Amino acid sequence: MIPPDFIFMLTRHDRTVENAADLVETVRTAGVRHIGFKDIGLPFAGLQVLARAIRQAGARIYLEVVSLDRESELRSVRVGIALGVDYLLGGTHVDDVLRLLDGTAIRYYPFPGRINGHPSVLEGTEAEIVRSAVALAARPGVHGLDLLAYRFAGDVPALMRRVCGAVADKPVIVAGSLDRAERIRAAALAGAAGFTVGTAAFDGAFPASADLAGQIGCIQTILSTTILSKA
């Protein structure tokens, strides 16, 4: 079993935290090599400082798009291009985004299914979401998917297994509301290539010391014990 990448998001309630750049060293020291943020919460100059700090820490840079309207989403994509991020997660206006990303090295992981509201909710039936995932994964320029699995009102473990199985040649990152051990375990066991945690760690949701290093350590322990149990 290949362990999924733990992507730590320097975000709380879909906004990049103000002191994000100051926290990069803590995250790096804890062993995380995949670090992300949103383009909301800091001015562009602050995002430049943050992206530079992540790069200097030797980590991959992820930008997740949470805007639902076309213009806001494309503005976020342009920010990601200007910052030189490695991965662009989320978004729904795939044709427009692919045109902007053409010629860049950015890996693009849009949302499958119908996304509504803020915080985002994943709507549609399980079958509809799987069909959306398959169609997106088949698009040239789409490198993977960003699945808001725990924003879905149905059987989430089944949804994750079906999506990961249906697009086996493209990685699936599970994002949103992974705020307890069983959800991280379920994502790993479903075959997710990665998962994101942000708000939950900042809120001290995991059974460890409430400081950031303690929360990250707990998440890593949950992941490692899950992998060992399947070895």
Side-chain angles (χ1 to χ4, degrees), residues 154-179:
D155 184 338
V156 173
L159 175 68
M160 292 190 292
R161 288 192 299 270
R162 285 194 63 188
V163 170
C164 291
V167 298
D169 59 332
K170 296 285 178 76
V172 176
I173 291 173
V174 175
S177 301
L178 278 88
D179 55 4

Side-chain angles (χ1 to χ4, degrees), residues 4-9 32-35 193-198 201 215-217 219-220 223:
D5 293 326
F6 169 25
I7 305 162
F8 186 74
M9 300 295 290
V32 177
R33 294 296 179 267
H34 303 267
I35 304 175
F195 65 94
T196 69
V197 178
Q215 291 289 295
I216 290 173
I219 294 165
Q220 291 169 323
L223 183 58

Side-chain angles (χ1 to χ4, degrees), residues 20-212:
D22 297 330
L23 299 175
V24 170
E25 180 60 20
T26 298
V27 178
R28 185 201 68 81
T29 301
V32 177
R33 294 296 179 267
H34 303 267
I35 304 175
F37 53 88
K38 313 286 175 72
D39 66 317
I40 299 171
L42 289 177
F44 182 72
L47 294 175
Q48 286 180 305
V49 172
L50 174 57
R52 187 160 53 246
I54 295 171
R55 184 72 70 202
Q56 290 173 346
R60 296 295 184 93
I61 306 173
Y62 294 72
L63 175 67
E64 187 168 37
V65 176
V66 294
S67 305
L68 294 180
D69 67 277
R70 176 180 178 276
E71 290 309 313
S72 295
E73 181 174 331
L74 297 186
R75 187 161 54 246
S76 297
V77 174
R78 292 186 182 98
V79 167
I81 294 170
L83 293 173
V85 303
D86 299 300
Y87 293 84
L88 181 73
L89 308 182
T92 59
H93 296 81
V94 177
D95 290 335
D96 295 313
V97 173
L98 286 173
R99 281 192 288 271
L100 285 178
L101 293 180
D102 187 36
T104 76
I106 295 174
R107 311 285 288 179
Y108 178 40
Y109 288 56
F111 291 135
R114 297 196 310 273
I115 309 299
N116 189 36
H118 189 88
S120 301
V121 174
L122 176 57
E123 297 182 337
T125 66
E126 186 177 299
E128 287 171 341
I129 296 166
V130 172
R131 284 197 296 270
S132 170
V134 170
L136 284 175
R139 298 285 303 273
V142 171
H143 301 92
L145 301 173
D146 188 12
L147 179 65
L148 294 175
Y150 283 100
R151 306 288 176 82
F152 172 62
D155 184 338
V156 173
L159 175 68
M160 292 190 292
R161 288 192 299 270
R162 285 194 63 188
V163 170
C164 291
V167 298
D169 59 332
K170 296 285 178 76
V172 176
I173 291 173
V174 175
S177 301
L178 278 88
D179 55 4
R180 60 203 76 165
E182 57 265 34
R183 293 186 172 186
I184 293 173
R185 292 191 190 104
L189 294 173
F195 65 94
T196 69
V197 178
T199 298
F202 282 112
D203 287 349
F206 295 94
S209 64
D211 65 90
L212 192 55

